[in-house]
Amino acid sequence: MSELPPSEAPHRRIRSFVRREGRMTDGQKAALERLSNRYSLDPIEGVIDFDAAFGRRAPLSFEIGFGAGDALLARAQAHPEWNHVGVEVHRPGVGRALIRAEQMELGNLRVMTRDAVEILRTQIAPGTLHEVVIEFPDPWHKKRHHKRRLVQPAFAQLIAERLTPGGVLRLATDWAEYAVQMRRVLDAQSAFTNLSTRGDGYLDRPATRPLTRFEARGERLGHAVFDLAYRRR
């Protein structure tokens, strides 16, 4: 398996998230206990055999930071021919997503509740993913915290290695300065081709991306949303 550059070694890497457990309802707690065997991949150690985990071979979508799961669930329902894996460290959100996944009878969805970068580094073989989705990651808006942002050069390299040739990285943010950084980092990664046909390098809002509560709140605050997509050469 490909390794990250030394600057991204586990003992030196700065995490892009802070665990904030928040209040978990009794229903969410029960869902995590009752549905983990059905939906969670966390017990698996080492490189994951996704064909075995899903009981079939299918294109694989990997979402980092799915929040309450609105977009993840919508994609899984709209594309039953794909397998979908979502990673989220906020356990109340995971519990909510599992409740809805059961209600929707989704068999093509699995979740993980650990650091997505470590999962990518240690549990996903190169060339495995057909799609990576990162929508509204924490912008870490203070300048001194920019080093915590997820989209950095070493991360772009890691994603490029894990995507299959022709695979697509999709991103969205409502923080304009972070959108500029995303473009700067990803445009510099030779393995990627920007799929925008607009002069500014961004995409029109994809019709397939549902309007989440988070995005709706940003719109009420007057935040513009920037969508990006890059294909693995």
Side-chain angles (χ1 to χ4, degrees), residues 45-153:
E45 296 182 358
V47 177
I48 299 171
D49 181 344
F50 288 102
D51 293 350
F54 283 93
R56 66 172 187 172
R57 174 167 294 184
L60 182 61
S61 177
F62 186 83
E63 180 173 353
I64 298 175
F66 62 76
D70 295 338
L72 174 66
L73 293 161
R75 274 191 296 272
Q77 185 177 49
H79 297 285
E81 75 280 9
W82 280 60
N83 292 334
H84 301 261
V85 175
V87 180
E88 176 56 62
V89 297
H90 184 62
R91 286 168 55 82
V94 177
R96 179 179 181 275
L98 294 187
I99 292 171
R100 294 186 59 207
E102 182 182 45
Q103 293 170 345
M104 298 164 70
E105 299 181 346
L106 296 176
N108 62 335
L109 175 68
R110 300 292 185 272
V111 300
M112 305 183 79
T113 58
R114 295 179 292 106
D115 182 352
V117 175
E118 287 304 303
I119 292 170
L120 286 163
R121 288 186 69 253
T122 64
Q123 294 198 269
I124 297 180
T128 295
L129 306 176
H130 294 78
E131 177 182 70
V132 174
V133 179
I134 308 171
E135 293 177 344
F136 306 103
D138 193 329
W140 292 102
H141 58 276
K142 294 181 180 179
K143 187 173 181 179
R144 69 177 183 271
H145 292 155
H146 286 185
K147 61 189 176 182
R148 289 185 173 273
R149 288 177 172 174
L150 181 62
V151 181
Q152 307 281 357

Side-chain angles (χ1 to χ4, degrees), residues 25 42 51 79 111 137-138 172-173 178 189 204 208:
T25 67
D42 284 336
D51 293 350
H79 297 285
V111 300
D138 193 329
T173 181
Y178 195 9
Q189 172 52 254
D204 295 332
T208 54

Side-chain angles (χ1 to χ4, degrees), residues 162-197:
R162 298 307 183 256
L163 280 169
T164 187
V168 177
L169 169 62
R170 304 186 188 280
L171 308 100
T173 181
D174 64 343
W175 199 262
E177 191 272 332
Y178 195 9
V180 172
Q181 177 181 324
M182 288 178 175
R183 277 212 57 202
R184 183 171 61 248
V185 168
L186 297 170
D187 287 350
Q189 172 52 254
S190 61
F192 285 132
T193 298
N194 191 328
L195 295 182
S196 173
T197 57

